[in-house]
Amino acid sequence: MKKIFQLIFLAAALFSTMLAHGQEKDISTKITAGKWITRHDGYVPVATYNPKETKPGEEPKTVERYKTLGFSSNNTFMLDSAKQRYTGHYQIVDNKIILDFNPVVISHLRKNMDPNTSSSDYQTEKETVKLSQRTLSLSEDGKLKGDGYVYKNYSGAVSGLLNFYEFSGFANISWKHMIMMLVGFFFIFLAIRYEFEPLLLIPIGFGILIGNIPMFQAVDFNLKLGIYEPGSVMNILYQGVVQGWYPPLIFLGIGAMTDFSSLISNPKLMLLGAAAQIGIFLTFLGALWLGFAPPEAGAIGIIGGADGPTAIFISSKLANGMNMMANGEVVKNLIGPIAIAAYSYMALVPVIQPPVIKLLTSKKERRIKMKPPRAVSKIEKILFPIVGLILTAYIAPSALPLLGMLFFGNLLKESGVTKRLANTASNALIDTITILLGITVGASTQADVFLTPSSIKIFGLGAASFVIATAGGVAGAKLMNLFMKKENKINPMIGASGVSAVPDSARVVQHMGLKEDPTNHLLMHAMAPNVAGVIGSAVAAGILLSFLM
């Protein structure tokens, strides 16, 4: 009888073992078929996000991402979480799936904060990560549960489609992207319908569309597509903005295109260009009052000069998101908002300036006729860029990249012996740089970077600064008239062209002058403070750099 009980017990144990093995085999068959996928929130769409450096209350908004778990028949598995892959071995014990992870070396991408390097590559920080053991179970409804998430099973084809969807713009679009794309459409509309600075607004507007095509973003993951992702084509081109290469080349072209004769013939009109720069310094004070750090406020202030290249140049030095301030904080990256604000208001010169001019001048003042400018000799034209460089650069050496290229381009034009170089600088070169500058500045308006309270403040300050600069130029002309003889009176409207929006501001004055008196041609007179404004804004930028660097 004892042997019979032993045989029964042995048979039961063998049967239970076979049954358990069969269940394990059944579970193994089920989990190795297809992919197990869940979608949940909690992923930060910032490649350089570092929780250790994030201040309380400044945590970035998280988004939903797919998490995929795949099992192989050789008892290995792979967990794909926001494209970070973890591997390991699994075993099935008592209907439980136990996951043991292998150590994984993760390369954390950190923003390069060193202002002394020209490299924009990430600073990588490697870390060996070993996830803790996890236990999953296959529920009766065919789902995997156990690590805080519920995974559903999908075939390989469906899994591939879900992966494709996650990389598409439809999965990543937000209301901010839609707003910025509407802004891009608006810029293009203004350029084509009303011809407001089309050479600038079309590249910038299209760049805004490029920069706001929504794409997959995750911590420590670089697709090399976006403008803020090192290695991408747009990022490489954007270095001309960040490192300040484009503005001096733009100034070279401006110098080769500009005739300084009107300024040389009537040097006192340079004072109007200086008077209009009051917009820069009042905007600087306004930015400080709104809570911007001094370097950031200095970069914002240049918007008042209505000079896009200068605004980009100084913001690349002062508000580049890399420089460290005395209190240990890093300055904000405001290049995109400042550049867009500067170029937007430059394009809106015909809209903004006329009401300000009319408000500050009487009909009688707007009808003042000025003496024709005297003829300027060739030797004066040749000496002007040389003397101008020495005088202005000694005042503000920090502005030498801009002033040097401006006067160099003008010397190429006026010397008469470098026509080929002058033609290249004033045509092919400046056109090429304008395209690159416009498209990259536009693309820098990526919604999550651009749509911030700081950007709104910058646009408000920009509008105010443009009005103040226009008013300052007009007021300066009226002040000069107090000391002028009647026959030497200045038409106060030309003071408005002291902003450096060349030649649009001078054209506005010409148009308003003809409207008041069809025989009153003010273009040549207005060009004097207009080109003086270019020089003045560059000098002002150099002065701010000297104080704030």
Side-chain angles (χ1 to χ4, degrees):
M1 183 65 70
K2 183 178 179 181
K3 289 185 177 181
I4 293 175
F5 280 114
Q6 287 177 341
L7 288 173
I8 293 173
F9 177 78
L10 182 61
L14 183 61
F15 177 76
S16 62
T17 302
M18 291 175 65
L19 182 62
H21 180 71
Q23 289 177 335
E24 290 178 6
K25 188 175 182 181
D26 183 53
I27 293 175
S28 178
T29 301
K30 288 180 179 179
I31 65 174
T32 55
K35 301 288 186 181
W36 296 88
I37 301 175
T38 186
R39 184 174 174 83
H40 62 90
D41 195 15
Y43 291 101
V44 178
V46 181
T48 56
Y49 175 65
N50 186 356
K52 297 177 182 177
E53 297 177 355
T54 304
K55 298 178 181 178
E58 294 184 357
E59 294 83 359
K61 184 179 179 181
T62 58
V63 297
E64 289 187 340
R65 290 282 181 258
Y66 284 112
K67 180 185 284 189
T68 303
L69 190 57
F71 296 91
S72 299
S73 57
N74 62 353
N75 285 76
T76 61
F77 70 90
M78 183 180 72
L79 175 65
D80 186 331
S81 179
K83 311 313 168 192
Q84 186 65 57
R85 294 177 175 175
Y86 303 89
T87 61
H89 291 79
Y90 71 92
Q91 55 181 323
I92 302 172
V93 179
D94 295 332
N95 297 330
K96 301 291 184 181
I97 306 162
I98 301 173
L99 308 181
D100 289 300
F101 289 86
N102 296 325
V104 177
V105 178
I106 296 177
S107 294
H108 296 299
L109 306 179
R110 301 292 182 239
K111 189 174 181 181
N112 191 341
M113 303 299 294
D114 185 359
N116 298 313
T117 177
S118 60
S119 172
S120 63
D121 292 339
Y122 296 125
Q123 288 182 336
T124 57
E125 179 182 306
K126 294 187 180 297
E127 178 186 7
T128 301
V129 175
K130 189 177 188 306
L131 300 181
S132 59
Q133 187 183 77
R134 298 182 184 180
T135 301
L136 304 176
S137 62
L138 192 62
S139 63
E140 293 182 0
D141 57 359
K143 298 175 182 177
L144 274 182
K145 301 178 181 179
D147 63 349
Y149 305 104
V150 177
Y151 297 85
K152 295 181 181 179
N153 186 262
Y154 295 92
S155 66
V158 174
S159 173
L161 288 174
L162 291 176
N163 192 63
F164 164 76
Y165 169 74
E166 188 170 44
F167 277 98
S168 72
F170 301 106
N172 298 287
I173 193 169
S174 68
W175 62 269
K176 290 184 176 182
H177 290 113
M178 291 187 282
I179 288 178
M180 289 310 304
M181 293 188 78
L182 288 175
V183 172
F185 291 139
F186 181 64
F187 276 28
I188 295 172
F189 170 76
L190 289 178
I192 296 175
R193 177 65 178 84
Y194 298 104
E195 296 188 17
F196 287 173
E197 290 285 354
L199 298 182
L200 292 174
L201 289 194
I202 286 182
I204 291 175
F206 202 81
I208 292 174
L209 300 184
I210 291 175
N212 286 280
I213 299 297
M215 65 183 69
F216 180 93
Q217 296 180 81
V219 177
D220 303 325
F221 186 77
N222 182 358
L223 272 173
K224 295 187 178 180
L225 292 177
I227 196 166
Y228 295 109
E229 297 181 293
S232 72
V233 173
M234 292 302 294
N235 180 266
I236 292 170
L237 295 177
Y238 189 51
Q239 296 314 301
V241 175
V242 175
Q243 302 295 335
W245 307 332
Y246 293 152
L249 295 176
I250 292 285
F251 263 65
L252 174 64
I254 291 173
M257 296 167 64
T258 303
D259 186 353
F260 287 100
S261 297
S262 57
L263 182 60
I264 298 172
S265 67
N266 198 353
K268 65 177 177 290
L269 296 182
M270 186 177 291
L271 295 175
L272 299 181
Q277 306 314 311
I278 188 175
I280 292 177
F281 296 101
L282 289 182
T283 306
F284 169 66
L285 296 176
L288 288 176
W289 181 71
L290 286 177
F292 288 97
E296 298 162 357
I300 294 169
I302 293 297
I303 300 174
D307 190 339
T310 302
I312 292 173
F313 178 77
I314 193 170
S315 58
S316 71
K317 303 296 182 184
L318 296 178
N320 54 17
M322 293 188 295
N323 293 345
M324 193 80 70
M325 293 185 288
N327 60 3
E329 294 184 7
V330 178
V331 295
K332 297 175 184 175
N333 181 0
L334 302 177
I335 298 175
I338 289 173
I340 295 296
Y343 279 116
S344 298
Y345 294 125
M346 283 175 63
L348 293 175
V349 161
V351 177
I352 297 174
Q353 287 200 315
V356 180
I357 295 172
K358 283 189 175 182
L359 182 65
L360 297 177
T361 58
S362 64
K363 194 173 185 69
K364 182 179 178 181
E365 287 175 323
R366 294 195 293 272
R367 287 187 170 184
I368 292 176
K369 288 188 177 180
M370 299 175 63
K371 289 182 179 179
R374 69 173 178 85
V376 178
S377 66
K378 182 177 180 180
I379 188 67
E380 287 179 292
K381 292 183 179 180
I382 293 174
L383 287 175
F384 179 79
I386 298 172
V387 175
L389 171 66
I390 294 172
L391 289 177
T392 57
Y394 267 80
I395 294 172
S398 300
L400 189 58
L402 300 177
L403 294 170
M405 296 300 269
L406 175 72
F407 289 121
F408 173 54
N410 189 245
L411 183 60
L412 292 178
K413 174 181 179 293
E414 302 298 352
S415 67
V417 294
T418 52
K419 291 182 178 179
R420 285 173 53 192
L421 299 181
N423 288 336
T424 299
S426 61
N427 291 284
L429 179 61
I430 195 171
D431 288 347
T432 301
I433 300 302
T434 299
I435 291 172
L436 297 178
L437 180 65
I439 203 79
T440 52
V441 163
S444 70
T445 63
Q446 189 171 302
D448 56 346
V449 176
F450 187 83
L451 281 183
T452 63
S454 295
S455 297
I456 297 172
K457 292 178 184 177
I458 289 170
F459 268 81
L461 286 167
S465 68
F466 207 93
V467 171
I468 293 169
T470 301
V474 174
K478 296 182 73 166
L479 181 63
M480 289 177 66
N481 278 342
L482 297 177
F483 305 96
M484 296 280 187
K485 295 180 180 179
K486 185 176 181 180
E487 63 273 14
N488 293 328
K489 293 285 185 182
I490 297 171
N491 191 311
M493 290 195 297
I494 72 169
S497 60
V499 298
S500 58
V502 180
D504 292 326
S505 191
R507 286 175 181 164
V508 167
V509 172
Q510 164 76 352
H511 178 72
M512 293 185 69
L514 292 176
K515 194 173 181 180
E516 298 290 340
D517 181 353
T519 64
N520 192 9
H521 295 275
L522 295 172
L523 184 61
M524 286 303 297
H525 302 291
M527 281 302 296
N530 210 184
V531 296
V534 176
I535 300 171
S537 64
V539 171
I543 292 172
L544 287 174
L545 282 174
S546 300
F547 277 98
L548 301 172
M549 279 289 284

